[in-house]
Amino acid sequence: MFVLCKHSKKLKDLPGNLKIKQNSLSIGIIVASDYQHQKVFDKTIIRKRVEIKMTLLSKEQLINFYRKMNRIRAFENEAIELAKMNLTRAAIHTYNGQEAIAVGVCAHLKEGDYITSTHRGHGHCIAKGADLERMFAELMGRKTGYCKGKGGSMHIADLSIGMLGANGIVGGGIPIATGAAFALKYKQTDNVVVCFFGDGASNQGSFHEALNLASVKKLPVIFLCENNNWAISMNIGKSVNIENISERAAAYGIKGLTVDGNDIAQVYREFGNCLEEVRQGTGPVLLEMKTYRLSGHYFGDNENYRSKEEVISRRQECPITRLENLLIQEYGVLPDELKAIASEEKAMVLEASNKAKLAPEPQAEDLWNDLFAQDFENITWQPFVKS
Amino acid sequence: MRKISMREAINEALHIALNSSPEVFTAGEDIAVYGGQLRCSYGLLENFGAERVFDTPISESAIVGLGVGSAMLNLRPIMELSYIDFLGTCFDQILNQAAKLRYMYGGMVNLPLVIRTQCGAGLGNGAQHSQSLEAILGHIPGIRVLIPSNAYDAKGLLLRAVRDNNPVVFIEHKALYKTKCHVPEEPYECDYTCDIKRTGKDITIVTYSAMVNQALKAAEVLEKEGVEAEVIDIRSIAPFEEETIINSVRKTGHAVVAHEACRKAGFGGEIAATIQEKAFTALKKPVLRVAAPDVPVPFAPILEDAFLPNSEKILAAVKTCLQ
């Protein structure tokens, strides 16, 4: 039920003795460009390992994931409502369809771990524990927002929860994540940085420079590529000439792995395995999670680059629906219980949004605040006496 | 009175910085084993070890990004960009990251990052290793841009920059590395303010970096001709301290602005505009600019000499201004 194959083999090319069950959880494409793993390539061992890890996911954990995924979906849907009311400005890039990734990844992180995010960053913020009201306030440019209304949707940060900031420049956060990982190593912690970016960013030069540097310095960073199939209007099939972004890991001498990013159990398990290694100081990993952007690039996108049929068919793989099916079929959860959870989350999101709507706007004088830190660090200079 | 070169002064400041704070580290291309393409970081690896002093691949985006990310987590990186011309390969990390993050995140984060780099022509390095690009950086809100003209200021400004909780680009002119002046052995800091290098009542020459020495040379010639020129070294492009310049122009009524960068949209335009906005009534003549022509820096000595502003060109501008 679990497939690991070398490089870019497609599912149909796999040996016949491997059974592939489609359209359910924990099944899908796993492609490894990890040459270390390929050396010990053994289907039996891999399958055993997977099955053992799978038993670790309890019903409570999965329900907790379901709750958070619904929270993100409800947040994004409400953000669109705010956009329709002209309460937000410029683009809102929603995370719809990718929720399993942020939730499954952030569930593993501990205090002192950091993430960097992208223009499509609301899901990462929420999964890392950001305050919904402050997020909404920021989307609406209010003074009580995370960035006091100076950032907006694309620039939410909360260092107190380990969220180093969303970034409006595609690929801009990758070198920063590398720098943060250097700081964690320099301070001799066992903490890590998870660097979220998309398939589009993987074609930026910053991706190459940062992965290479992180590799040679053996930095504790997981480069997490959310391959959602579309870089604005450009399909992944046209923007890269390889089957999997993770194959690029070989160029940096690091581990690369592709997993089904719409399968929360697989996301959680495979990320957990990578994290364990990275915490031990083995250096960075390039972990690709295949997913699908169910919404347009931003709210208001005419989506003339893809067919409605394609989106409808990919909706079958929606990570929330798949988790629902798993919980109902394998864990005996009643559909009504799940509906209740989704309603609770939606209500919580709406409450946060309504509160944020009442928040004050910044004053024009605030324009000048926050540009520079006014203080200088208190360092007593010690002359260096050369021996 | 100990005299040392600007290169030695910078090396001394780097030693003091690394010796004083465990949060300080330095990295860049060839800075550790080799001692730096700028030859300013010799001895650091031996004295502070490979964890804090290390070479990086030739990856300027990753170098600056390493500085930005580690500064966000409270380290105090001193990253070296071998030539300011390499801004082209890492500009996003300066323009959109280092300069923007604090403001964009509502003041949530400090970025105590220093980027040391080298500018300037005169040594035959050609069009891609000789530029003066301070105006491009000065145009960006959110970063400091310091540009010392001598060894004393280099040491004092660099130490101040390391204590600064904001991103600082520190620009060293390659033709100044060997120039010597009095530099105290003990640590000290210089403010981000103008320095009046020479007082005078007849004309104000506002300048910085390598042109300071050329302006002083011109002032000596003028003195013999009975003209007293006041020479102001601005030392810092951002913040730009205007008061010293305005007070001087109110006194002299004449101003010449000199820099090695190309004339068009150079920082001299900003200085001249500030003078006319704030001291217009004191001006007896238009503010004149002495700058390089708007061409890339050429290679052949005769062409590079023609390109470079110098004391004669400053002298000529002063004479035009005083006519």
Side-chain angles (χ1 to χ4, degrees), chain A residues 203-342:
Chain A
N203 293 327
Q204 288 276 28
S206 60
F207 168 88
H208 167 69
E209 292 195 17
L211 265 71
N212 183 58
L213 182 64
S215 171
V216 296
K217 298 294 291 177
K218 272 195 185 314
L219 299 180
V221 52
I222 294 169
F223 295 105
L224 204 143
C225 179
E226 294 183 66
N227 180 350
N228 69 10
N229 226 53
W230 290 101
I232 306 187
S233 70
M234 194 175 201
N235 187 271
I236 185 72
K238 289 181 181 169
S239 64
V240 302
N241 214 4
I242 47 176
E243 186 77 18
N244 301 291
I245 304 283
S246 69
E247 290 166 35
R248 292 180 176 174
Y252 308 108
I254 62 174
K255 175 177 171 173
L257 196 68
T258 294
V259 305
D260 180 351
N262 281 11
D263 174 349
I264 183 83
Q266 201 179 110
V267 167
Y268 182 77
R269 181 183 61 239
E270 292 307 316
F271 178 80
N273 291 340
C274 289
L275 181 67
E276 225 167 89
E277 292 173 26
V278 173
R279 273 208 207 288
Q280 283 164 10
T282 54
V285 168
L286 173 58
L287 182 53
E288 177 187 20
M289 297 201 172
K290 290 206 169 170
T291 181
Y292 188 81
R293 193 189 74 206
L294 287 175
S295 52
H297 168 60
Y298 63 100
F299 168 67
D301 182 359
N302 68 15
E303 297 180 63
N304 66 352
Y305 44 84
R306 62 181 181 181
S307 69
K308 278 184 182 145
E309 292 71 32
E310 175 185 313
V311 181
I312 289 165
S313 92
R314 297 301 291 259
R315 248 185 222 136
Q316 311 304 313
E317 299 158 29
C318 164
I320 295 179
T321 311
R322 284 171 71 179
L323 180 53
E324 267 168 11
N325 293 341
L326 179 81
L327 283 166
I328 293 166
Q329 288 160 19
E330 307 287 333
Y331 288 81
V333 179
L334 298 171
D336 282 351
E337 286 181 62
L338 296 178
K339 273 182 195 154
I341 291 169

Side-chain angles (χ1 to χ4, degrees), chain A residues 75-120:
Chain A
F75 182 95
E76 297 296 43
N77 291 342
E78 174 63 7
I80 288 169
E81 292 306 313
L82 296 176
K84 285 179 187 165
M85 289 185 267
N86 284 327
L87 286 169
T88 62
R89 310 185 71 200
I92 300 283
H93 307 90
T94 62
Y95 197 60
N96 292 8
Q98 303 178 210
E99 295 89 346
I101 299 172
V103 170
V105 165
C106 291
H108 279 286
L109 302 181
K110 62 175 187 179
E111 199 174 339
D113 291 337
Y114 287 91
I115 64 169
T116 62
S117 176
T118 69
H119 59 287
R120 202 174 301 288

Side-chain angles (χ1 to χ4, degrees), chain A residues 166-167 187 367 373 377 382, chain B residues 20 73 97 103 105 163 166:
Chain A
N167 208 305
K187 293 174 184 176
L367 177 72
E377 193 70 8
Q382 307 289 334
Chain B
S20 305
L73 298 194
Q97 310 303 335
Y103 189 80
Y105 297 157
R163 278 209 310 120
N166 300 290

Side-chain angles (χ1 to χ4, degrees), chain B residues 127-242:
Chain B
Q128 296 173 332
H129 292 76
S130 303
Q131 295 171 85
S132 292
L133 301 176
E134 64 279 356
I136 291 176
L137 295 167
H139 187 67
I140 306 166
I143 49 173
R144 313 272 201 213
V145 184
L146 309 180
I147 188 154
S149 70
N150 60 77
Y152 180 92
D153 287 352
K155 179 175 171 180
L157 285 171
L158 184 53
L159 287 178
R160 185 125 182 101
V162 174
R163 278 209 310 120
D164 198 324
N165 283 323
N166 300 290
V168 179
V169 183
F170 190 85
I171 306 171
E172 304 156 9
H173 194 293
K174 58 171 70 66
L176 294 174
Y177 279 131
K178 288 182 181 168
T179 60
K180 291 188 176 186
C181 72
H182 166 60
V183 178
E185 279 183 57
E186 64 269 18
Y188 60 91
E189 291 178 15
C190 296
D191 286 330
Y192 302 155
T193 52
C194 293
D195 183 24
I196 301 173
K197 305 299 286 185
R198 179 190 175 111
T199 55
K201 61 174 176 45
D202 298 323
I203 188 162
T204 304
I205 305 174
V206 187
T207 184
Y208 55 89
S209 193
M211 281 302 117
V212 171
N213 291 337
Q214 297 299 319
L216 287 170
K217 228 164 133 182
E220 278 174 31
V221 176
L222 288 165
E223 188 185 19
K224 286 172 195 154
E225 299 173 9
V227 175
E228 288 181 31
E230 183 146 297
V231 176
I232 297 175
D233 176 2
I234 67 169
R235 299 198 292 190
S236 170
I237 300 283
F240 173 44
E241 188 255 307
E242 304 168 354

Side-chain angles (χ1 to χ4, degrees), chain B residues 245-257:
Chain B
I245 298 165
I246 301 308
N247 288 342
S248 174
V249 174
R250 283 193 181 129
K251 178 177 71 177
T252 62
H254 298 91
V256 164
V257 179

Side-chain angles (χ1 to χ4, degrees), chain B:
Chain B
M1 294 259 281
R2 181 186 70 144
K3 283 192 172 184
I4 61 171
S5 69
M6 190 168 95
R7 174 171 286 129
E8 290 167 311
I10 289 165
N11 182 259
E12 196 165 277
L14 291 170
H15 273 89
I16 293 168
L18 281 152
N19 199 36
S20 305
S21 166
E23 277 83 37
V24 174
F25 74 94
T26 186
E29 292 158 16
D30 313 300
I31 67 131
V33 176
Y34 187 61
Q37 289 182 44
L38 320 186
R39 312 303 298 167
C40 288
S41 48
Y42 56 87
L44 295 174
L45 174 63
E46 293 77 1
N47 291 318
F48 299 103
E51 300 291 312
R52 301 180 65 200
V53 181
F54 58 89
D55 293 320
T56 62
I58 301 175
S59 302
E60 284 86 12
S61 275
I63 291 169
V64 180
L66 190 74
V68 173
S70 60
M72 284 182 94
L73 298 194
N74 304 316
L75 295 187
R76 310 189 79 78
I78 305 174
M79 311 308 284
E80 186 175 300
L81 193 58
S82 315
Y83 291 81
I84 201 167
D85 313 70
F86 304 167
L87 269 183
T89 57
C90 62
F91 204 28
D92 178 63
Q93 287 297 317
I94 296 175
L95 169 72
N96 287 316
Q97 310 303 335
K100 299 292 191 292
L101 294 186
R102 182 184 162 82
Y103 189 80
M104 200 165 80
Y105 297 157
M108 193 186 295
V109 64
N110 282 347
L111 281 162
L113 159 69
V114 177
I115 301 167
R116 285 185 45 243
T117 188
Q118 172 197 206
C119 76
L123 301 179
N125 288 288
Q128 296 173 332
H129 292 76
S130 303
Q131 295 171 85
S132 292
L133 301 176
E134 64 279 356
I136 291 176
L137 295 167
H139 187 67
I140 306 166
I143 49 173
R144 313 272 201 213
V145 184
L146 309 180
I147 188 154
S149 70
N150 60 77
Y152 180 92
D153 287 352
K155 179 175 171 180
L157 285 171
L158 184 53
L159 287 178
R160 185 125 182 101
V162 174
R163 278 209 310 120
D164 198 324
N165 283 323
N166 300 290
V168 179
V169 183
F170 190 85
I171 306 171
E172 304 156 9
H173 194 293
K174 58 171 70 66
L176 294 174
Y177 279 131
K178 288 182 181 168
T179 60
K180 291 188 176 186
C181 72
H182 166 60
V183 178
E185 279 183 57
E186 64 269 18
Y188 60 91
E189 291 178 15
C190 296
D191 286 330
Y192 302 155
T193 52
C194 293
D195 183 24
I196 301 173
K197 305 299 286 185
R198 179 190 175 111
T199 55
K201 61 174 176 45
D202 298 323
I203 188 162
T204 304
I205 305 174
V206 187
T207 184
Y208 55 89
S209 193
M211 281 302 117
V212 171
N213 291 337
Q214 297 299 319
L216 287 170
K217 228 164 133 182
E220 278 174 31
V221 176
L222 288 165
E223 188 185 19
K224 286 172 195 154
E225 299 173 9
V227 175
E228 288 181 31
E230 183 146 297
V231 176
I232 297 175
D233 176 2
I234 67 169
R235 299 198 292 190
S236 170
I237 300 283
F240 173 44
E241 188 255 307
E242 304 168 354
E243 207 183 335
T244 304
I245 298 165
I246 301 308
N247 288 342
S248 174
V249 174
R250 283 193 181 129
K251 178 177 71 177
T252 62
H254 298 91
V256 164
V257 179
H259 59 52
E260 188 186 303
C262 293
R263 181 185 179 89
K264 188 173 63 188
F267 196 68
E270 180 64 28
I271 300 171
T274 304
I275 294 171
Q276 71 86 17
E277 278 172 355
K278 302 205 171 159
F280 185 71
T281 52
L283 281 173
K284 292 168 189 153
K285 285 285 177 68
V287 180
L288 294 183
R289 284 179 290 166
V290 178
D294 295 318
V295 298
V297 182
F299 171 68
I302 201 161
L303 296 175
E304 197 175 22
D305 282 350
F307 171 89
L308 276 173
N310 54 28
S311 61
E312 287 87 36
K313 290 173 189 172
I314 294 170
L315 207 54
V318 168
K319 287 182 175 171
T320 306
C321 192
L322 290 175
Q323 260 173 16

